[in-house]
Amino acid sequence: MKSNNKKPEIKMSNTTKKTTTTIEEIEAKKVTLEAVGYPFNFNYMESAQLEISNKKLFEEYAKEQWLGIEAKKEGFLFDQKIVPDYGFKILEVEPENSIITEETKIIIIDNKLTLKEENTPLKYNVNFDDIIGQKNAKNKIKIIKKYMENPEIFGQWAPQNILFYGLPGTGKTMLAKALSNNLNIPLYLVKATSLIGDHVGDSARQIHELFESASKNAPSLIFIDEIDAIALHRQYQSLRGDVSEIVNSLLTELDGINPNEGVVTIAATNNVGFLDTAVRSRFEEEIEFKLPTTEERKEILQKNIETMPIKVNIDIDKVAKMSKNMSGRDLKQKILKTALHHAFSEEKDELDMKDIEYAFKQSKVKIQNEVKDMYE
């Protein structure tokens, strides 16, 4: 090596077999790759990571140099043009041991999980009966059910964007899961913060890919949780940072500029008053999720107690009254679960009111700390 500022030229051959495609050989329909870096450690290199700015362009570039190569799962392909000897691991081949042709779709995934991989549509085993209360919300989403069952008859009257708002733990995400399960349609469950890209253009691309995938799998639901994380009102500029790219891209999709027939977007927020007015105006329906009443808290307690791994001997009426202003999630996580852990730590065979009282004392400390953290 003459200089530490120049990478030594190392001639590597592909570990996969290059051949001429014959009638007997199988053409690869899809090859999924992961960039893994160089096979050698050069002292001058700070990083072996490769940043690919245009995945579609990379696909054409890859096919041009790997045409006719036999792709095997867990094998490797090496770049011999722009970045000589840079390695790509073959994660998947469809079908196995097939030949790369001009028709092969080549997919490159990032070393870290991207939005596209995170948001594969999933099915959830949640039913409407699992959500206690929220009768108004359940009633209002009937329009979504009607639309998903017969999207072609709605035309311009189709529901597009719905906003769920209310305190944490009141069932916003659960209702979206139950709706998806009830209709047997895919649900794209997205945390708003996962839409924020590291580089210019990332956010716009990720949002476009999300809606494009949902459209291909229509009818489908997109649920964007904690949308205020990216769509804060402009008066909170110091908190929101520069999110103009992501907001503009989101507005484009919510406006329906790209046809997304059979796709309904539901966004959720705990702080509806903090939302950017431009974003908020795109939602034709705002559905409030309220804290449970005393009777609903009794029902939530009873439903959860039935599944607990210990005998429970408590005054449910008393606990329901003690838990005023608590959400369903608070009741389960902060009261029942804490009480259960306390009973086990005391080596008791039965959970009683002493465990419940302990949980209430602990929950007050937690609530105070949570409020304090919001202002620090």
Side-chain angles (χ1 to χ4, degrees):
M1 190 183 295
K2 293 182 179 180
S3 170
N4 284 340
N5 294 321
K6 183 178 179 182
K7 185 171 80 69
E9 185 177 355
I10 300 173
K11 294 299 181 181
M12 298 285 296
S13 61
N14 285 297
T15 60
T16 48
K17 181 183 176 183
K18 188 163 185 175
T19 182
T20 303
T21 306
T22 65
I23 297 175
E24 291 79 17
E25 291 171 334
I26 304 172
E27 294 185 357
K29 293 181 179 180
K30 183 170 73 172
V31 177
T32 304
L33 304 175
E34 178 186 20
V36 292
Y38 291 99
F40 299 99
N41 182 26
F42 301 108
N43 294 330
Y44 70 87
M45 291 178 60
E46 295 181 359
S47 171
Q49 292 185 347
L50 184 70
E51 182 179 332
I52 296 172
S53 59
N54 188 317
K55 291 184 179 180
K56 184 64 179 174
L57 197 60
F58 172 82
E59 182 179 18
E60 296 302 317
Y61 168 80
K63 280 193 286 191
E64 182 183 344
Q65 66 170 319
W66 294 329
L67 200 65
I69 287 180
E70 183 182 2
K72 295 182 179 180
K73 186 176 180 179
E74 301 299 321
F76 293 89
L77 296 170
F78 291 93
D79 195 336
Q80 296 298 328
K81 293 189 175 183
I82 305 298
V83 193
D85 305 326
Y86 196 97
F88 297 86
K89 185 176 182 179
I90 302 173
L91 301 180
E92 296 289 342
V93 183
E94 296 180 12
E96 291 187 8
N97 301 344
S98 48
I99 305 300
I100 295 176
T101 71
E102 292 180 353
E103 303 301 318
T104 302
K105 182 173 181 60
I106 295 180
I107 299 172
I108 177 74
I109 68 168
D110 298 332
N111 287 330
K112 61 181 181 179
L113 198 62
T114 65
L115 174 128
K116 194 168 185 179
E117 283 81 51
E118 284 179 344
N119 290 288
T120 302
L122 300 174
K123 297 291 182 69
Y124 297 90
N125 189 26
V126 180
N127 299 306
F128 289 122
D129 290 342
D130 296 327
I131 305 165
I132 308 301
Q134 308 305 344
K135 292 181 181 178
N136 180 59
K138 290 177 184 177
N139 188 53
K140 285 194 171 185
I141 64 166
K142 287 179 181 178
I143 181 63
I144 301 177
K145 290 182 65 177
K146 290 283 186 183
Y147 173 58
M148 290 301 187
E149 289 165 354
N150 249 317
E152 62 278 356
I153 69 171
F154 274 79
Q156 62 179 328
W157 304 104
Q160 287 184 305
N161 311 309
I162 310 293
L163 182 66
F164 287 178
Y165 71 95
L167 291 172
T170 48
K172 298 184 291 293
T173 306
M174 280 188 71
L175 188 57
K177 291 179 178 179
L179 180 60
S180 166
N181 185 39
N182 180 264
L183 293 168
N184 194 28
I185 61 174
L187 170 64
Y188 291 79
L189 190 58
V190 184
K191 285 284 186 183
T193 49
S194 71
L195 296 169
I196 302 173
D198 295 327
H199 305 94
V200 175
D202 282 355
S203 297
R205 174 183 56 79
Q206 291 185 144
I207 291 172
H208 176 70
E209 287 179 353
L210 170 64
F211 279 84
E212 183 180 46
S213 180
S215 184
K216 288 179 180 177
N217 289 287
S220 62
L221 285 174
I222 295 175
F223 184 81
I224 305 176
D225 199 11
E226 300 174 357
I227 193 172
D228 45 287
I230 57 173
L232 277 174
H233 193 281
R234 284 170 174 76
Q235 72 184 71
Y236 305 106
Q237 186 66 45
S238 60
L239 294 174
R240 63 182 253 166
D242 185 11
V243 291
S244 56
E245 176 195 333
I246 190 169
V247 170
N248 290 337
S249 300
L250 185 60
L251 290 176
T252 297
E253 298 296 344
L254 295 179
D255 283 340
I257 293 175
N258 299 317
N260 293 312
E261 185 177 329
V263 178
V264 173
T265 303
I266 301 174
T269 177
N270 303 330
N271 305 296
V272 68
F274 289 178
L275 281 184
D276 184 296
T277 51
V279 175
R280 187 175 179 181
S281 68
R282 265 57 177 194
F283 296 96
E284 65 259 26
E285 184 82 53
E286 295 186 0
I287 301 177
E288 182 180 9
F289 284 68
K290 298 180 179 180
L291 289 170
T293 63
T294 303
E295 287 301 313
E296 288 167 351
R297 291 196 298 277
K298 285 172 60 177
E299 192 175 348
I300 292 169
L301 287 165
Q302 187 62 53
K303 192 177 184 69
N304 282 288
I305 286 171
E306 291 172 359
T307 64
M308 295 184 79
I310 191 174
K311 185 178 179 181
V312 178
N313 182 19
I314 63 173
D315 185 340
I316 292 181
D317 289 335
K318 183 178 180 180
V319 178
K321 290 176 182 177
M322 291 170 65
S323 56
K324 184 180 179 181
N325 294 327
M326 281 192 166
S327 68
R329 186 167 64 198
D330 290 337
L331 286 170
K332 181 177 181 180
Q333 300 292 334
K334 295 182 178 179
I335 303 303
L336 292 180
K337 183 176 280 191
T338 302
L340 175 66
H341 292 178
H342 183 260
F344 279 135
S345 68
E346 296 291 317
E347 298 184 350
K348 295 163 64 174
D349 297 324
E350 182 179 88
L351 187 154
D352 56 30
M353 286 301 293
K354 288 185 179 179
D355 302 305
I356 293 292
E357 288 166 5
Y358 170 84
F360 271 103
K361 289 178 182 178
Q362 291 298 307
S363 70
K364 287 181 180 179
V365 173
K366 290 178 184 177
I367 291 170
Q368 289 172 355
N369 288 339
E370 287 170 5
V371 173
K372 183 180 178 182
D373 290 343
M374 288 175 63
Y375 295 95
E376 288 184 348

